[in-house]
Amino acid sequence: MSDTLECSECGASIDSTDDLETEGEVAEVEPESDGSFQLYENHDLFLCKNCRKPLGISRP
């Protein structure tokens, strides 16, 4: 059984990766208290295929 995600922008029901669009990669960052940040891995960014709102990132 898989989870269903609903796009808050257009209301589309996302049931599988077929309903998502991959758009490049985004860097995972950890903000520090002094305003700097620590860089980690890059992850694929997934968008709603209907309206292109960012919905999530891949997990390593």
Side-chain angles (χ1 to χ4, degrees):
M1 185 165 128
S2 66
D3 295 323
T4 299
L5 180 65
E6 185 174 311
C7 178
S8 61
E9 185 72 26
C10 69
S13 182
I14 312 298
D15 297 315
S16 71
T17 55
D18 292 338
D19 300 323
L20 296 171
E21 185 175 317
T22 305
E23 179 67 32
E25 291 186 333
V26 292
E28 180 181 359
V29 297
E30 179 73 31
E32 303 290 337
S33 59
D34 65 358
S36 64
F37 56 85
Q38 179 74 35
L39 287 174
Y40 293 101
E41 301 178 51
N42 287 335
H43 302 283
D44 290 328
L45 175 64
F46 293 101
L47 309 174
C48 174
K49 232 179 200 179
N50 192 44
C51 70
R52 300 189 41 86
K53 176 184 173 149
L55 295 176
I57 60 171
S58 63
R59 253 186 125 159

